[in-house]
Amino acid sequence: MQTRPHTGLNLVAGEWTPAAGGRTFARRNPADQDDVVGEFPDSSAADMRAAVAAVAEGAAEWAAAPAERRAAVLEAAAAWLEERAEQLTAELVREEGKTRAEAAIETSRTPKNLRYYAGEALRITGRSYPADDGGLVYTRREPVGVVGAVTPWNFPLNIPSRKIGPALAAGNGVVFKPSPVTPLMAQRLVEALLAGGLPPRVIALVHGGAEPGAALAADPHVAAVTFTGSTAAGRAVHAAVGPSRRCQLEMGGKNPVIVLEDADLDRAAQIVAKGAFGLSGQACTGTSRVIVHESVHDALLERVVRLAEARTVGDGMRPGVDMGPLAADFQLRKVLEYVRVGEEEGAKLVTGGRRPDGPGLDRGLFVTPAVFADVTPDMRIAREEIFGPVLAFQRAADLDEAITLADATEYGLSAGIVTRDLDRALTFAARVRSGLVKVNQPTTGMAMTVPFGGLKESSTQTFKEQAGESMMLFYTQEKSVYISP
């Protein structure tokens, strides 16, 4: 059922405001393009510069706040989110296209992130060192200043919370530039922080497209930029930030799962299907390639195809639906184009990759999960990130060849193996060039207490995301102090 469209605003200098130029954009429900989720400011570079300047002025108050106060704000924001979990779950399904079950996981994970970083606020410490003159030498960790957070649409609450949470825990001001695909979720997160007691001038929210995002990365008053998104956009952010400011990038993936001949094939098929088709394939760590020992290739292919065809595609709010729409029309066009390219290059489309039939499905951005066989390493569907429910099967004669195929892309984000042989699993973990390695698990999913980041073109490989200490290092700078008696 459609509800009244939301009216979105930017938060600049502590005030909710439209874009200075008055421009707006509409966000539509990907499951029903006739349903307008809301109208949001289509901001300019000038809007972003004003937001950065305001946060630069307001951040000093927050930097001086006791750690206990910073922690209390994050705890209170988490409680606000938890109290509204049902509302947020429904809004997330409507705006981004997840199933209700997938959205519920995200709305429950987000407040846990904030509580985790509330604890990190209380653990920021320095070190002391011996001094030859009997004095004192110590280090102190201080906030970097203004942090720019540029976030994607596929986890519009979870990913921003694990960027903004630690940034605020460390005492920084934050300028938040969310994806225009999921502006409502971004606004809800900021509302939670303000309701939790965050001073309004410590954070800014600027909606819009590439123009304000580029202005944020280029602004010299921004001390650090954290970005999650495509590799192409990440490279542009990195170039704009330059060598004298901090930059943390988490970018694309082309994540493989190796299935060896000793694997439980039913279990392997479930692992592959969950990683490939969960979240409609729209996860940076999603499984896009499965590299199978030739002796079990056909048997596994048959099982995965059966699971793909059993997926019920539709509006994520409907009972029984286990794969929602793609989040945006450009995503649908991209996925369908890669299906066409795969067939043109000679891969065999075994199932899926088509617009489904059914009541109301023509109004949404739906596609059936696609499985390709006979895929070779030179094909684009084996090398390029698709970010949708498209899975490429490749054959391997042994573990060595499988690892070579796994590494045959520019990406190195997540990689998995399914085997009963612990020795070969550990060999894979040691040799594969991937920042995240999963054994007998889907390539998706991770614990909030564990560092997360890619290798090769999947990351800047500077500061890790997710885990406490490695994350807090990005948002603080170290100062060495020498005191003589």
Side-chain angles (χ1 to χ4, degrees):
M1 182 178 67
Q2 296 182 8
T3 59
R4 189 172 62 183
H6 179 82
T7 300
L9 295 168
N10 290 337
L11 180 68
V12 178
E15 301 290 336
W16 292 106
T17 179
R23 298 181 303 178
T24 63
F25 67 91
R27 174 58 185 158
R28 296 179 180 273
N29 180 347
D32 180 358
Q33 292 281 275
D34 294 336
D35 176 23
V36 178
V37 174
E39 294 277 343
F40 296 86
D42 187 6
S43 305
S44 67
D47 291 309
M48 180 58 76
R49 287 192 291 269
V52 171
V55 171
E57 290 181 2
E61 172 193 353
W62 187 243
E68 290 82 358
R69 182 187 172 198
R70 300 199 295 268
V73 166
L74 294 177
E75 289 278 4
W80 190 94
L81 292 168
E82 287 168 342
E83 291 166 3
R84 292 158 180 81
E86 284 297 319
Q87 170 197 333
L88 293 170
T89 296
E91 289 179 337
L92 178 53
V93 172
R94 184 181 176 212
E95 181 175 54
E96 194 263 330
K98 286 183 170 68
T99 66
R100 177 182 282 275
E102 291 167 343
I105 291 171
E106 182 165 0
T107 55
S108 66
R109 173 72 175 263
T110 300
K112 292 176 183 176
N113 287 339
L114 296 182
R115 292 189 190 280
Y116 179 74
Y117 290 112
E120 290 302 310
L122 304 176
R123 287 190 284 270
I124 299 173
T125 61
R127 299 182 182 185
S128 62
Y129 299 85
D132 292 342
D133 63 354
L136 174 65
V137 179
Y138 68 95
T139 63
R140 50 180 287 136
R141 301 209 69 86
E142 300 175 347
V144 297
V146 177
V147 170
V150 183
T151 61
W153 45 262
N154 59 327
F155 291 99
L157 288 172
N158 181 40
I159 290 178
S161 70
R162 74 185 198 214
K163 293 180 183 292
I164 296 171
L168 293 175
N172 298 288
V174 176
V175 181
F176 179 21
K177 164 59 181 71
S179 167
V181 174
T182 48
L184 178 57
M185 290 297 97
Q187 193 143 333
R188 293 292 187 240
L189 181 58
V190 173
E191 289 171 358
L193 292 165
L194 297 179
L198 183 69
R201 295 177 67 89
V202 173
I203 192 167
L205 171 65
V206 181
H207 294 293
E211 182 180 338
L216 176 61
D219 197 308
H221 297 98
V222 177
V225 176
T226 175
F227 167 90
T228 299
S230 72
T231 295
R235 286 170 178 158
V237 169
H238 194 258
V241 171
S244 62
R245 296 183 291 137
R246 294 191 179 191
C247 190
Q248 177 193 58
L249 305 182
E250 290 304 332
M251 301 182 287
K254 192 65 182 173
N255 311 298
V257 170
I258 292 172
V259 179
L260 297 182
E261 71 277 12
D262 67 335
D264 178 330
L265 295 186
D266 290 330
R267 181 184 184 191
Q270 292 286 347
I271 288 170
V272 168
K274 181 176 181 180
F277 309 134
L279 305 163
S280 302
Q282 299 174 130
C284 60
T285 54
T287 303
S288 59
R289 297 177 291 148
V290 56
I291 301 164
V292 193
H293 191 277
E294 56 193 12
S295 67
V296 296
H297 175 278
D298 293 352
L300 181 68
L301 175 62
E302 179 183 348
R303 286 167 168 81
V304 172
V305 167
R306 192 158 56 240
L307 292 173
E309 292 176 344
R311 291 262 167 176
T312 301
V313 178
D315 186 333
M317 291 299 291
R318 294 185 180 277
V321 168
D322 49 20
M323 195 175 106
L326 298 178
D329 53 0
F330 63 81
Q331 278 298 110
L332 178 61
R333 292 194 302 270
K334 181 180 180 183
V335 167
L336 294 176
E337 173 64 11
Y338 271 105
V339 170
R340 184 191 66 79
V341 167
E343 290 186 289
E344 277 191 357
E345 290 185 332
K348 178 183 178 182
L349 181 61
V350 183
T351 191
R354 304 289 186 245
R355 300 295 307 277
D357 296 323
L361 293 180
D362 59 324
R363 297 199 304 272
L365 306 176
F366 299 103
V367 65
T368 54
V371 179
F372 278 97
D374 301 333
V375 177
T376 57
D378 57 304
M379 293 180 179
R380 290 177 60 191
I381 61 170
R383 295 183 290 108
E384 299 176 8
E385 184 178 44
I386 300 174
F387 217 70
V390 180
L391 181 63
F393 264 73
Q394 297 174 267
R395 297 174 185 267
D398 53 30
L399 179 59
D400 287 340
E401 183 182 9
I403 293 174
T404 298
L405 289 171
D407 285 337
T409 75
E410 66 177 350
Y411 301 107
L413 186 56
S414 182
I417 189 168
V418 185
T419 178
R420 292 185 175 96
D421 188 328
L422 180 59
D423 286 342
R424 291 199 291 177
L426 294 177
T427 296
F428 167 76
R431 288 176 51 189
V432 72
R433 295 196 63 204
S434 176
L436 180 65
V437 178
K438 306 292 281 293
V439 177
N440 297 327
Q441 297 181 24
T443 54
T444 52
M446 64 202 80
M448 71 175 69
T449 55
V450 178
F452 170 67
L455 302 179
K456 299 192 286 185
E457 293 298 316
S458 292
S459 172
T460 44
Q461 302 169 49
T462 48
F463 296 88
K464 293 278 191 178
E465 278 202 352
Q466 194 96 7
E469 182 180 8
S470 62
M471 194 69 157
M472 299 303 289
L473 289 175
F474 178 71
Y475 294 109
T476 58
Q477 56 194 0
E478 190 172 47
K479 182 183 292 182
S480 299
V481 181
Y482 289 73
I483 300 176
S484 290

